Amino acid sequence: MDELDLGKVNVFSVLGEDLISYGSRQVGGGKGPGNPHGEESEQLYYIDRKVIDDHAINIVLKPQLEILW
């Protein structure tokens, strides 16, 4: 990953901790052929759809990722 150039970053607002959170889950649904010991995980972000709409947040969804609203 490239280093973040702070000169090109614009912060428009800061969301409260009650509006966004994060967690993790095991890759591939848990233990199995692709993750035999269950140690591989991925980070998740929990954002209510209303927060995205109300704050006019422009996000880019990657079609290979699972998106649940």
Side-chain angles (χ1 to χ4, degrees):
M1 176 183 253
D2 293 333
E3 205 171 304
L4 183 64
D5 182 354
L6 297 179
K8 296 180 180 178
V9 173
N10 293 316
V11 177
F12 295 99
S13 67
V14 177
L15 299 175
E17 292 180 14
D18 59 326
L19 298 179
I20 187 169
S21 64
Y22 65 94
S24 64
R25 68 176 175 187
Q26 290 182 327
V27 173
K31 293 181 181 179
N35 189 17
H37 303 289
E39 71 274 3
E40 298 295 325
S41 66
E42 59 191 356
Q43 193 161 11
L44 303 173
Y45 295 93
Y46 300 102
I47 307 169
D48 191 285
R49 180 63 185 247
K50 184 173 179 350
V51 172
I52 293 172
D53 294 340
D54 289 351
H55 290 84
I57 298 172
N58 184 19
I59 58 173
V60 176
L61 300 178
K62 296 182 179 179
Q64 70 272 22
L65 298 179
E66 179 181 13
I67 308 296
L68 302 173
W69 296 110

